[in-house]
């Protein structure tokens, strides 16, 4: 006998979407196929009228991290206790946060600390990208092979310090030489580079220039963190990747130029992947001037309608692999603390809205297929970052991470629809379709607006990337 059956829904699999039944045994999916009346289970969910999709994977979150945008405030973001509650409600069953390593830290020590912080404190499963920052000693890079073997195969680097120098701001930028060294190690050991790519010289020059010209209002952010800066940095990293053989996952692609650079590299068979963010695909730099407009800001910056077109074309068809959020959960007061180009709080409070927004804006409003929806919200992140096939797919043997979406829910989102902080940047957005049930490894953790999961349900997931993903564009 099975533990759980999901009947009468439309099940979204890589083969297409169809009227199938899902059977769950313990934490795993045991059956996907045409309904067999002889199947029995401890519990049956009637999913009539609903879609069953793979549990969402948020590839880009910053929980409980010091806010470098406002270093004088001494504040950090909300932790996994608060934020993963929203993920559970919003249909995200796994998230990837960051474990930043700065000199003179040991990577394994940094990972241990971050894991200890999450243990017993998350409603959903998790892992961490390893962030390599600043003038790390060269010996640090010798640890990369072992770290990959331990189940942490993705390494985040910044090509820019993002913000101008400040006494309380550490330098996050890795020089090109160290990025090259990391790429060599990663390519040799089946890891992947996760890159925040902007041209540091252009960004820092723009900060100086705008300060000299007295144009420091935050609504100029897109003129400091420009399309050209993204283009130059993406191309430079792609060249470096070509010469070292490394695979690259570009976080928060914001501009048409970024998408074009990635599409061109993929056309040459290079394993290059682009992530974008729901706020980048739906808000423009004009929105900075709205009341609460900085709620939508994430570094680099919001861009223009032509960039939306390129991002959505990539998401719906090919070229942009994942829809993430750059989750950075704070209170509204914290999010609106800074108003200048050098201190607007970065990140988004959007992981809870990610699945519903992508369904509404992708599937309902832009003709995205249901299998493609599953790819950009779960499967591709799982494949590129080493969670597949345990996560990111509804298939026998995979973890029973399943989300039911009710396409008949049509409403304007309100503050009461969210469960993390005292605001959501998505209040006022009209949606068609929203997650109603979230199942994590066979356990129903949210159903019809009620939380049944508990802190500690979420577990660390070991990752290993299929080498196919690292040799050619495969997601
Ligand atoms: Zn980020």
């Amino acid at each position: 006998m099975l533990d759980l059956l999901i009947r009468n829904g439309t099940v979204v699999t890589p083969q297409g979407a169809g009227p199938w039944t899902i059977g769950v045994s313990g934490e795993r999916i045991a059956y996907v196929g045409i309904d067999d009346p002889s199947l029995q289970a401890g519990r049956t969910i009637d999913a009539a009228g609903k879609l069953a999709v793979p549990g969402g994977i948020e590839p880009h979150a910053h929980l409980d991290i010091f806010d470098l945008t406002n270093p004088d405030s001494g504040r950090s973001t909300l932790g996994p206790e608060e934020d993963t509650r929203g993920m559970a409600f919003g249909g995200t069953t796994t998230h990837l946060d960051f474990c930043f390593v700065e000199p003179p830290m040991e990577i394994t020590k940094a990972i241990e600390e971050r894991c200890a912080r999450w243990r017993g404190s998350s409603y959903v499963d998790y892992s961490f990208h390893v962030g390599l920052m600043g003038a790390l000693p060269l010996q640090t890079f010798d640890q990369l092979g072992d770290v990959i073997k331990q189940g942490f195969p993705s390494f985040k680097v910044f090509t820019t310090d993002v913000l101008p120098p400040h006494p309380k701001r550490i330098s996050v930028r890795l020089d090109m030489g160290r990025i090259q060294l990391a790429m060599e190690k990663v390519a040799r050991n089946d890891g992947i580079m996760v890159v925040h790519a902007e041209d540091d010289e252009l960004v820092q020059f723009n900060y100086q220039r705008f300060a000299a010209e007295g144009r420091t209002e935050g609504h100029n952010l897109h003129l400091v963190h420009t399309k050209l800066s993204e283009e130059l940095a993406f191309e430079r990293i792609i060249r470096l990747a070509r010469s070292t053989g490394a695979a690259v996952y570009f976080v928060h692609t914001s501009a048409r130029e970024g998408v074009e650079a990635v599409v061109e590299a993929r056309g040459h068979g290079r394993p290059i992947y682009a992530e974008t963010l729901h706020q980048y695909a739906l808000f423009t730099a004009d929105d900075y001037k709205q009341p609460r407009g900085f709620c939508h800001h994430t570094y680099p910056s919001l861009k223009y309608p032509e960039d939306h077109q390129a991002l959505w074309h990539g998401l719906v068809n090919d070229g942009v692999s994942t829809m993430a959020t750059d989750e950075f959960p704070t209170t509204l007061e914290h999010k609106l603390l800074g108003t200048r180009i050098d201190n607007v709080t970065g990140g988004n409070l959007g992981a809870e809205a990610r699945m519903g927004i992508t369904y509404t804006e992708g599937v309902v409003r832009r003709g995205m297929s249901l299998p493609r929806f599953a790819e950009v919200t779960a499967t591709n992140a799982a494949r590129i970052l080493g969670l597949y096939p345990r996560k990111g797919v509804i298939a026998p043997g995979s973890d029973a991470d399943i989300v039911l979406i009710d396409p008949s829910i049509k409403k304007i989102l309100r503050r009461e629809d969210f469960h993390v902080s005292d605001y959501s940047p998505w209040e006022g957005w009209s949606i068609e379709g929203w997650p109603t049930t979230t199942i994590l490894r066979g356990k129903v953790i949210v159903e019809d607006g009620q939380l049944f999961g508990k802190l500690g349900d979420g577990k660390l997931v070991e990752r290993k990337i299929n080498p196919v993903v690292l040799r050619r564009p495969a997601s």
Side-chain angles (χ1 to χ4, degrees):
M1 187 159 110
L2 295 162
D3 295 302
L4 177 67
L5 274 169
I6 301 170
R7 288 189 144 126
N8 306 320
T10 297
V11 180
V12 181
T13 75
Q15 290 79 37
W20 297 309
T21 288
I22 305 171
V24 174
S25 178
E27 297 193 340
R28 303 283 177 92
I29 294 171
Y31 179 87
V32 184
I34 294 171
D35 193 62
D36 175 350
S38 70
L39 288 173
Q40 293 199 334
R43 183 179 172 197
T44 297
I45 293 176
D46 181 2
K50 294 183 179 152
L51 304 166
V53 302
I57 297 175
E58 164 63 80
H60 190 159
H62 301 278
L63 315 183
D64 191 9
I65 191 85
F66 185 72
D67 177 9
L68 285 172
T69 47
N70 295 284
D72 289 324
S73 76
R75 298 192 205 202
S76 294
T77 58
L78 301 172
E81 296 84 352
E82 287 96 2
D83 197 71
T84 65
R85 186 169 54 217
M87 291 184 192
F89 274 102
T92 284
T93 50
T94 305
H95 68 289
L96 288 168
D97 203 280
F98 294 81
C99 162
F100 286 110
V101 182
E102 41 184 298
M105 263 184 228
E106 291 269 307
I107 300 180
T108 39
K109 187 101 196 311
I111 291 176
E112 271 168 31
E113 281 174 18
R114 207 67 176 148
C115 288
R117 172 66 184 85
W118 254 249
R119 207 168 296 132
S121 301
S122 179
Y123 289 98
V124 302
D125 285 353
Y126 54 88
S127 179
F128 305 96
H129 303 289
V130 175
L132 302 171
M133 303 199 298
L136 286 165
L138 302 192
Q139 305 90 283
T140 303
F141 295 82
D142 292 337
Q143 302 166 28
L144 264 50
D146 284 340
V147 170
I148 291 169
K149 284 197 193 77
Q150 287 165 29
F152 300 92
S154 51
F155 296 86
K156 164 88 176 276
V157 298
F158 295 82
T159 62
T160 173
D161 274 326
V162 186
L163 291 160
H166 180 289
K168 291 183 188 166
R169 242 175 226 151
I170 50 161
S171 173
V172 298
R173 183 178 78 91
L174 213 62
D175 59 77
M176 275 305 197
R178 282 178 171 77
I179 293 179
Q180 183 187 22
L181 182 56
M183 282 186 172
E184 287 168 10
K185 305 282 183 189
V186 154
R188 199 172 305 144
N189 294 284
D190 286 341
I192 193 166
M193 300 298 294
V194 173
V195 185
H196 175 135
E198 290 186 88
D199 188 89
D200 192 54
E201 288 192 358
L202 279 191
V203 169
Q204 297 300 342
F205 171 76
N206 287 338
Y207 271 112
Q208 290 175 28
R209 180 180 187 169
F210 278 61
E213 293 173 357
R215 302 163 68 200
T216 56
E217 307 96 331
H219 59 75
N220 293 312
L221 270 159
H222 59 300
L223 305 174
V224 176
H225 295 268
T226 60
K227 285 156 67 73
L228 179 61
S229 159
E230 180 162 316
E231 182 177 3
L232 293 178
F234 271 47
E235 287 183 352
R236 216 167 164 211
I237 286 293
I238 287 168
R239 290 290 171 89
L240 209 54
R242 190 175 70 189
S243 110
T244 54
V248 175
Y249 176 80
F250 284 108
V251 289
H252 50 53
T253 307
S254 68
R256 176 172 58 82
E257 289 79 355
V259 178
E260 284 173 355
V262 168
V263 167
E264 195 197 346
R266 289 163 68 90
H268 291 119
R270 302 304 313 156
I272 308 290
Y273 303 96
E275 162 196 288
T276 192
L277 313 175
H278 54 9
Q279 68 270 30
Y280 277 176
L282 293 162
F283 290 91
T284 68
D286 274 349
D287 291 304
Y288 285 137
K289 292 187 176 163
Q290 300 293 322
R292 289 170 61 159
F294 294 143
C295 284
H296 311 296
H297 174 67
T298 303
Y299 295 91
S301 70
L302 300 171
K303 299 291 193 310
Y304 304 88
E306 66 152 15
D307 302 295
H308 287 188
Q309 264 183 25
L311 293 173
W312 278 110
H313 187 269
L315 284 166
V316 171
N317 302 289
D318 186 44
V320 178
S321 299
T322 60
M323 182 75 113
T325 64
D326 206 344
E327 184 76 346
F328 198 84
T330 66
T331 60
L332 179 62
E333 183 259 343
H334 180 176
K335 181 64 180 161
L336 297 178
L337 217 50
T339 58
R340 298 190 316 263
I341 48 177
D342 65 341
N343 73 353
V344 173
T345 305
N348 197 261
L349 175 48
E352 182 168 6
R354 186 181 67 103
M355 297 286 279
I357 293 288
T358 307
Y359 179 80
T360 296
E361 295 296 336
V363 178
V364 178
R365 298 184 179 152
R366 290 175 179 81
M368 180 186 280
S369 73
L370 288 171
R372 183 65 182 163
F373 169 78
E375 282 178 10
V376 299
T377 55
T379 320
N380 285 349
R383 286 174 61 86
I384 298 164
L385 300 167
L387 295 157
Y388 191 88
R390 184 170 165 196
K391 305 278 187 196
V393 63
I394 296 180
S398 293
D399 280 358
D401 297 342
I402 301 160
V403 170
L404 300 183
I405 291 177
D406 184 348
S408 74
I409 296 175
K410 294 183 172 59
K411 63 177 179 182
I412 308 280
L413 293 172
R414 296 177 310 153
R415 160 78 196 89
E416 298 72 47
D417 292 309
F418 296 96
H419 303 85
V420 176
S421 182
D422 58 353
Y423 87 106
S424 166
W426 297 96
E427 289 166 35
W429 201 270
S430 90
I431 52 100
E432 299 181 49
W434 200 252
T436 56
T437 304
T438 304
I439 300 166
L440 173 69
R441 279 182 280 103
K443 176 181 174 177
V444 175
I445 58 169
V446 166
E447 192 166 33
D448 299 326
Q450 249 192 295
L451 180 67
F452 296 99
K454 55 183 194 337
L455 291 175
D457 281 346
K459 299 275 186 273
L460 176 69
V461 193
E462 227 175 84
R463 294 184 290 128
K464 185 178 193 319
I465 306 173
N466 184 331
V468 166
V469 174
L470 305 171
R471 308 282 179 265
R472 59 177 176 79
S475 268

